[in-house]
C-alpha cells in the first residue's frame, strides 16, 4: 500500500529517508490534501528507470517485428556480433 504523508512531514528528513529506504517504494507527499510530490530512494528510482528502459526496448522490438515480420536466429546474431566486435 502506498505511503502518503503531508508536506509538513518533510521537516523530518531522517524519518522520510528511512521510510523510503525501508519500503523501497515511492512516498507520496500531499499539500492541502492534494498530491504534490513523490519522494523515493535512489535505488528505487534507478530500478524504475531500468524497468522503463527494458519496457521501451521490448516495445520497439515488437513494433519492428509488426512492421516487417522478420525474426533473427539468436545464435546467428550473436555469432555475427562476436565476429564484428571481438575478432
Amino acid at each position: 500500500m502506498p505511503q502518503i504523508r503531508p508536506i509538513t512531514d518533510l521537516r523530518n528528513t531522517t524519518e522520510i529517508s528511512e521510510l523510503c529506504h525501508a519500503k523501497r517504494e515511492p512516498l507520496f507527499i500531499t499539500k492541502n490534501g492534494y498530491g504534490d510530490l513523490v519522494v523515493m530512494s535512489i535505488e528505487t528510482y534507478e530500478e524504475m528507470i531500468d524497468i522503463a528502459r527494458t519496457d521501451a526496448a521490448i516495445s520497439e522490438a515488437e513494433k519492428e517485428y509488426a512492421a516487417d515480420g522478420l525474426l533473427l536466429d539468436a545464435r546467428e546474431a550473436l555469432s555475427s556480433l562476436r565476429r564484428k566486435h571481438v575478432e
Side-chain angles (χ1 to χ4, degrees):
M1 176 170 226
Q3 291 282 318
I4 302 171
R5 296 292 189 101
I7 199 163
T8 55
D9 283 4
L10 288 180
R11 291 180 184 139
N12 190 346
T13 56
T14 302
E15 180 185 357
I16 295 297
S17 176
E18 288 171 358
L19 275 172
C20 289
H21 287 282
K23 296 288 184 176
R24 296 196 49 88
E25 63 183 22
L27 178 68
F28 298 90
I29 305 296
T30 61
K31 183 177 181 181
N32 297 324
Y34 296 96
D36 187 47
L37 300 169
V38 176
V39 180
M40 66 182 79
S41 69
I42 289 175
E43 295 84 8
T44 301
Y45 174 76
E46 289 173 345
E47 185 177 300
M48 289 176 66
I49 293 299
D50 287 343
I51 290 169
R53 285 185 185 135
T54 302
D55 288 347
I58 291 170
S59 179
E60 183 179 337
E62 288 174 341
K63 287 177 187 173
E64 287 177 11
Y65 176 70
D68 61 19
L70 177 65
L71 288 176
L72 300 175
D73 180 67
R75 287 186 183 99
E76 290 175 20
L78 290 172
S79 177
S80 173
L81 287 171
R82 280 189 200 102
R83 283 193 305 274
K84 182 177 180 181
H85 295 285
V86 176
E87 296 174 359

